[in-house]
């Protein structure tokens, strides 16, 4: 998939690989070792690659050498500069400006760009010096954590493309961030939340100080006049805290009541309301407990817990969103009047436009090839790993990858009208239809509320009979001590901790309810290509003479066919044998003279008849290959069959183990694939999946239907990589997108794996279960405290001091359980491959 | 002790002022990105015009070779 990894620094790997050989010469820009071949003895400065040379020249030319001094003070991760050298013409298109550029009243414009290669404090300094590099830029502010810069520029003095080129020349390739509205909405929400926490904290702190004086007075005596004064002040602050920051809980409880769903806000609001009411009455009449110290601290702590969970989830969602941003969203339009192709944003492509699609680019529209011949990887749409040949007149689909040569494509459908666009619409629909999972703690809240109300009624009844004067007092005390503070705090924190640790392991979880579903058991459906298998052709088996392998490698180096690439990769040679006289026969194979021997590699039909007849095992071996869904490649050396290579999409090495681990945890496993049923059945056997649950020839629409049908029975986890299962990923109880998947999976899935293989899935399931064990443990502890408090309240022996000690004590115990739980910590961190 | 009738509202007012300052800081976006701001503090700028003549002083070249 193009652009899935944030840092692709090939030059740096090359530099590191050659490092031990010679005395090191450090690159003047990035500090990595300069490859020996690039050292120029005459030059004053050495560079490890052209990117670094260009960036150094720009930095020096603009008088920004301070960058190097700043970086020396903060030796972070060194990376060679990558300069893309693109023109970024698409950023100047009116269609782009209209949607993604903010026009400010003072005539300036602003937008956000995601930068590749941001890694340290010196980067912040350099990027924010952008006005010195690109005239017309007023301000550049970098958010280091997200790697996103907000640029304000004067459109009359410079186009956005020039700003983007300036950033590119500094070694930070920019990508437009296309989520302006959701971000500004979230920012408003975040700010409102912070304000609430601030107000709640200030109120809680001041009420606690007043409470200190009151409690002190309880023991050493206080004049009634001052006690009354302090109580009035407490009430003032307490009512403020309940009415402003605390309104969140009342609104949540009201919404829960209206929709008749259980929510933890309900018992919390009940406790807050009872305490607030009783406290106010007692203040007004000048006798009894006022409770405001407990209530304000409660509001503050609960808000802090929710804020932490929110931040953690936001962080994971942001990371996924930014990965999505890295995918190219422009097309190269061939102008009817001639001239070079122009970069335009996808929003500006119209039906009937003629577009150039270079090799390695994703085709941006559904259309018909007008010029050129190439191979197209359609795995994203069909799940078929073998590329399809296209030529003039062929139909190509948006989202597929052009592999071999440049094509001219006439657009027949764009944007939402393409097949990919319609699939994405399905993704959005199923996301909207998705019923929110009632979170674990919320599910309990219903029972909790009923129990509390029953007990409160009981207490009221008993005390009305025993001592009517104190009935209201004891009932209010019960409602307050029964307020599930610890529970309300522990659940979000335990979830936040798990999500944070998962992110460090390369598992990005977008929501807390995901963890809960994964802690249960149900059905796991896998996509085949790219999920269970590697998603590309590779050598699976070699039968015959191993000495022919170097000959094959040398010969196949002259072909760009996927099978040739697979064979080359399998027998990689340091110094290939001399090869001459190479002829390729399309659809058959390749022949040539390698080290004096005549070598022929290709399909069975390409083998000379006498050689085929002479080899007794050949036909049987070929038949076996076909039965396993592999492509047989026959190797002939000097007219006799030397070996048979079976090439295919190999199963991931950890797939079998991962599936065994899933089954051990009580999950059933199945396959939904667009590939041929026979191939699917073979893979199912290899990884240990029941063939009855392995389905081939499933279209994206059918995948969605299957997942939705299965969800009626129980939780469904869909694990996939691409557009052809994006809708299914989104509709599943939990959709998990594997690394290297299509862009669409980033938007659709609930969990994104930022490291290769299926092992993270097993980690995730184990950690989810451990997280929920911790939550249950918290719950038991907090219920014990609540029960003790309730007992004291019912018997009427509770005093405010006991309540005041009990609450922080229970919160503290529960927090230490939530934070100390071994969730993702048990497995060693792996590097993202 | 009756001074408390003056002191306490005064203290509350000061608290309110602090809360108001916090709210202003949040609303003007100062808490939107707390990571980068901490680093920006280190970039105390030399007071120089952004477009300097392109000089090659040996002192600066030494700085460039630092890893």
């Amino acid at each position: 998939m193009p652009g899935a990894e944030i840092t692709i620094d090939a030059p740096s790997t090359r530099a590191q690989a050659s490092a031990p050989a010679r005395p090191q010469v450090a690159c003047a820009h990035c500090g990595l070792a300069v490859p020996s071949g690039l050292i120029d003895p005459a030059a004053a400065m050495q560079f490890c690659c052209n990117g670094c040379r260009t960036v150094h020249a720009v930095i020096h030319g603009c008088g920004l050498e301070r960058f190097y001094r700043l970086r020396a003070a903060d030796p972070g991760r060194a990376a060679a500069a990558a300069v893309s050298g693109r023109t970024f013409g698409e950023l100047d298109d009116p269609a782009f400006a209209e949607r993604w550029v903010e026009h400010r009243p003072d005539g300036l414009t602003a937008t956000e760009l995601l930068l590749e290669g941001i890694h340290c404090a010196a980067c912040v300094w350099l990027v924010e010096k952008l006005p010195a590099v690109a005239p017309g830029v007023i301000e550049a502010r970098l958010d280091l954590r997200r790697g996103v810069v907000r640029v304000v520029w004067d459109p009359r003095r410079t186009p956005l493309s020039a700003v983007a080129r300036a950033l590119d020349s500094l070694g930070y390739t920019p990508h437009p961030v296309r989520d302006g509205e959701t971000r500004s909405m979230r920012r408003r929400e975040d700010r409102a939340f912070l304000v609430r926490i601030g107000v709640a904290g200030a109120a809680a702190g001041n009420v606690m100080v007043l409470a200190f004086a009151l409690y002190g007075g309880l023991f050493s005596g206080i004049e009634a006049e001052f006690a009354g004064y302090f109580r009035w002040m407490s009430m003032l602050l307490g009512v403020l805290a309940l009415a402003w920051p605390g309104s969140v809980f009342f609104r949540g409880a009201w919404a829960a009541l209206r929709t008749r769903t259980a929510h933890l806000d309900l018992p919390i609001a009940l406790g807050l309301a009872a305490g607030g009411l009783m406290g106010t009455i007692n203040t007004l009449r000048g006798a009894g407990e006022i409770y405001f110290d407990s209530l304000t601290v409660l509001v503050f702590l609960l808000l802090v817990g929710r804020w932490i969970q929110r931040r953690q989830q936001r962080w994971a969602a942001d990371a996924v969103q930014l990965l999505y941003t890295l995918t190219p969203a422009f097309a190269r339009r061939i102008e009817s009047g001639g001239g070079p192709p122009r970069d335009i944003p996808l929003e500006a492509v119209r039906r009937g436009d003629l577009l150039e699609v270079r090799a390695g680019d994703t085709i941006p529209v559904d259309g018909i090839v007008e010029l050129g011949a190439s191979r197209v990887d359609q795995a994203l749409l069909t799940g078929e790993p073998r590329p399809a040949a296209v030529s003039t007149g062929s139909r190509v689909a948006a989202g597929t990858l052009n592999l071999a040569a440049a094509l001219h494509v006439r657009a027949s459908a764009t944007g939402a009208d393409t097949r990919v666009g319609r699939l994405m619409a399905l993704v959005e629909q199923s996301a909207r239809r998705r019923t929110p999972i009632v979170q674990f703690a919320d599910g309990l809240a219903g029972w909790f509320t009923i129990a509390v109300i029953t007990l409160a009624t009981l207490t009221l009844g008993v005390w009305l009979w025993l001592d009517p004067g104190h009935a209201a007092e004891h009932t209010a005390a019960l409602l307050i001590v029964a307020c599930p503070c610890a529970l309300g705090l522990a659940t979000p924190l335990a979830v936040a901790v798990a999500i944070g640790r998962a992110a460090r392991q390369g598992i990005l979880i977008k929501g807390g309810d995901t963890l809960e579903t994964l802690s249960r058991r149900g059905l796991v459906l896998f996509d085949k290509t790219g999920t269970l298998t590697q998603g590309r052709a590779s050598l699976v088996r070699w039968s015959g003479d191993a000495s022919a392998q170097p000959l094959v490698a040398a010969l196949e180096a002259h072909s760009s066919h996927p099978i040739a690439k697979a064979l080359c990769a399998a027998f990689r040679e340091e110094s290939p044998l001399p090869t001459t006289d190479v002829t390729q026969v399309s659809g058959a194979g390749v022949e040539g003279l390698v080290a004096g021997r005549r070598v022929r590699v290709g399909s069975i039909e390409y083998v000379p008849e006498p050689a085929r007849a002479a080899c007794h095992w050949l036909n049987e071996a070929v038949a076996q290959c076909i039965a396993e869904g592999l492509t047989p490649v026959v190797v002939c050396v000097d007219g006799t069959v030397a070996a048979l290579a079976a090439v295919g999409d190999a199963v991931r090495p950890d797939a079998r183990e991962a599936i065994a681990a899933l089954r051990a945890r009580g999950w059933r496993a199945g396959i939904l694939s667009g590939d041929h049923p026979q191939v699917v059945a073979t893979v199912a056997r290899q990884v240990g999946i029941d063939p009855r649950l392995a389905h081939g020839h499933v279209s994206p629409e059918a995948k969605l239907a299957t997942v939705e049908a299965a969800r009626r029975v129980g939780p469904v986890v869909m694990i996939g990589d691409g557009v052809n299962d994006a809708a299914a990923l989104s509709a599943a109880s939990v959709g998990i997108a594997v690394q290297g998947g299509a862009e669409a999976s980033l938007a659709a899935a609930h969990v994104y794996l930022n490291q290769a293989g299926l092992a993270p899935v097993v980690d995730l399931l184990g950690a989810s279960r451990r997280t929920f064990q911790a939550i249950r443990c918290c719950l038991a502890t907090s219920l014990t405290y609540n029960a003790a408090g309730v007992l004291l309240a019912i018997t009427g022996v509770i005093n405010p001091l006991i309540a005041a000690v009990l609450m922080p004590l229970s919160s503290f115990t529960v927090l230490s359980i939530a934070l100390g739980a071994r969730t993702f910590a048990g497995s060693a961190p792996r590097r993202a491959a | 002790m009756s001074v408390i009738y003056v002191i306490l509202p005064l203290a509350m007012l000061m608290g309110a002022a602090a809360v108001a300052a916090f709210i202003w800081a949040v609303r003007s976006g100062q808490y939107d990105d707390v990571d980068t701001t901490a680093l920006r503090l280190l970039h105390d700028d030399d007071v120089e015009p952004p477009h300097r003549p392109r000089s090659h002083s040996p002192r600066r070249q030494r700085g460039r070779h630092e890893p």
Side-chain angles (χ1 to χ4, degrees), chain A residues 435-485:
Chain A
T435 44
I437 297 169
V438 176
Q439 288 204 4
F440 183 63
D442 293 340
L444 282 167
W447 294 106
F448 198 91
T449 316
I450 293 169
V452 168
I453 290 176
T454 316
L455 282 172
T457 326
L458 224 75
T459 314
L460 190 70
V462 170
W463 281 97
L464 274 177
W465 179 54
L466 285 177
D467 177 7
H470 285 105
E473 193 79 23
H474 291 319
T475 313
L478 178 130
L479 285 174
I480 294 165
V481 291
C483 193
C485 165

Side-chain angles (χ1 to χ4, degrees), chain A residues 120-133:
Chain A
C120 66
C123 292
V124 179
W125 183 82
L126 187 55
V127 169
E128 297 193 346
K129 281 282 172 286
L130 189 64
V133 181

Side-chain angles (χ1 to χ4, degrees), chain A residues 84-91 93 328-336 338-350 352-365 402 405-411 414:
Chain A
S84 77
R86 285 194 45 226
T87 57
F88 298 99
E90 77 274 11
L91 299 182
D93 198 279
F330 65 96
R332 289 168 66 79
R333 185 166 64 198
I334 298 168
E335 306 296 326
S336 48
R342 217 158 62 83
D343 286 345
I344 56 169
L346 283 188
E347 292 92 347
V349 180
R350 298 278 168 270
D353 282 356
L354 188 62
L355 305 172
E356 185 196 49
V357 184
R358 289 169 300 181
D361 282 356
T362 305
I363 297 173
V365 294
N402 181 18
L407 293 173
H408 287 188
V409 176
R410 178 77 65 187
T414 62

Side-chain angles (χ1 to χ4, degrees), chain A residues 42 85 92 161 273 362 394 427 511 525 609 776 821 832:
Chain A
D92 295 336
S161 62
T362 305
S394 307
V427 169
L525 291 171
E609 186 53 46
R776 275 188 206 103

Side-chain angles (χ1 to χ4, degrees), chain A residues 536 549-550 552-554 564-576:
Chain A
R536 59 188 149 75
Q549 288 174 358
V552 173
K565 285 189 182 150
L567 290 172
C568 279
F571 311 128
R572 191 180 294 278
E573 288 280 326
E574 280 303 313
S575 47

Side-chain angles (χ1 to χ4, degrees), chain A residues 56 128 144-145 191 225, chain B residues 5 32 35-36 40 64:
Chain A
H56 185 272
E128 297 193 346
L144 180 67
R145 191 170 58 86
R191 288 177 182 175
E225 180 195 350
Chain B
Y5 286 108
D32 288 355
D35 305 328
T36 323
R40 216 170 266 139
R64 234 174 277 127

